[in-house]
Amino acid sequence: MFLNTIESILNDNWPILVIFVITLVIVRFFYLRTHREKISFYREFLMIISICYIFLLFQLLTKVEMNSNSGFNIIPFQEIFRYEVGSRLFIFNVFGNIMAFVLFGLIVSSYIKPKTVVPPIIISLLVSVTVEFVQLNIGRSFDVDDIILNVVGGLIGFLLYIGLSAIKDHLPRIFQRDGIYNLICFIIILVIIFYILNVTGVINL
């Protein structure tokens, strides 16, 4: 179900995403060259991936489907407990809402480097509330449970950031060099390219 959703979003948005990424790369390249800043391949890659993820996330959250229902739920956990635990609807609506904001929380935490969990929670809360109000005005529903689940995802993302930071600080020096991260990012780029080409039908794997 998640892969089908990802493929649907990519199929709908790959033209604008390609233009957006190329424009971002070009502008960023000339910015670094103009200001004579050192280019860190893996840092630039992570920045672009983060921006693309947030772009696709908001495309997903504002997508209006034919069977979308407009509604307004302000009773906490009402919708969460409506789904049978382990069912497809539970996984998609509960687990999916959490996972969608785990990476968001990780990206936000990596950018602002907070000392406490408060900033990521507030950011996740405000962004989620904004999304829900927008959804309410485009034919979808406002659901406080989605906000709760998104904030939980943002919290997990912050904890993941803390954990990854601690692991990185205790790695041997050889694994803290830019060359290692650059190689990993290069492999990820190849995987992403082949995946997108496969999803968009350019190649068949």
Side-chain angles (χ1 to χ4, degrees):
M1 184 178 293
F2 288 115
L3 289 179
N4 291 336
T5 302
I6 293 173
E7 290 178 3
S8 175
I9 294 298
L10 286 175
N11 279 324
D12 292 342
N13 296 281
W14 75 263
I16 189 173
L17 187 61
V18 169
I19 297 172
F20 179 74
V21 170
I22 291 177
T23 303
L24 182 62
V25 169
I26 293 172
V27 172
R28 183 63 179 167
F29 171 78
F30 280 99
Y31 172 86
L32 293 173
R33 183 174 180 180
T34 300
H35 293 273
R36 297 183 178 180
E37 295 184 14
K38 181 181 178 181
I39 298 178
S40 174
F41 176 76
Y42 84 92
R43 293 182 188 277
E44 298 299 323
F45 169 75
L46 291 177
M47 180 192 70
I48 293 173
I49 286 295
S50 298
I51 293 174
C52 290
Y53 173 78
I54 292 175
F55 170 80
L56 292 175
L57 173 63
F58 293 154
Q59 286 288 327
L60 172 63
L61 294 176
T62 55
K63 182 179 180 181
V64 180
E65 300 175 349
M66 295 299 295
N67 59 350
S68 295
N69 295 317
S70 180
F72 197 88
N73 172 44
I74 57 174
I75 303 176
F77 307 110
Q78 176 174 282
E79 290 298 311
I80 293 176
F81 292 138
R82 188 165 65 88
Y83 305 113
E84 181 181 350
V85 177
S87 66
R88 288 171 61 88
L89 286 175
F90 178 87
I91 293 174
F92 188 79
N93 290 285
V94 177
F95 186 71
N97 270 300
I98 293 175
M99 290 305 299
F101 267 69
V102 168
L103 270 179
F104 179 81
L106 176 60
I107 291 169
V108 167
S109 299
S110 299
Y111 177 70
I112 64 177
K113 295 178 172 52
K115 300 298 182 181
T116 69
V117 73
V118 175
I121 286 183
I122 292 177
I123 293 172
S124 297
L125 175 63
L126 294 177
V127 170
S128 184
V129 169
T130 302
V131 168
E132 292 301 311
F133 272 111
V134 169
Q135 287 181 343
L136 184 62
N137 287 277
I138 60 173
R140 296 182 60 173
S141 62
F142 180 99
D143 191 350
V144 69
D145 285 353
D146 287 349
I147 297 174
I148 294 172
L149 295 171
N150 292 160
V151 172
V152 170
L155 171 60
I156 295 174
F158 168 76
L159 296 177
L160 188 59
Y161 159 74
I162 295 297
L164 290 175
S165 298
I167 292 174
K168 180 182 177 182
D169 292 340
H170 289 84
L171 286 175
R173 287 188 176 181
I174 189 173
F175 294 111
Q176 295 188 26
R177 295 178 179 175
D178 286 0
I180 298 295
Y181 298 129
N182 290 339
L183 177 61
I184 294 173
C185 288
F186 181 73
I187 294 173
I188 294 174
I189 288 175
L190 292 179
V191 173
I192 291 174
I193 290 175
F194 278 109
Y195 178 75
I196 292 177
L197 292 177
N198 185 54
V199 168
T200 56
V202 176
I203 61 173
N204 292 312
L205 298 178

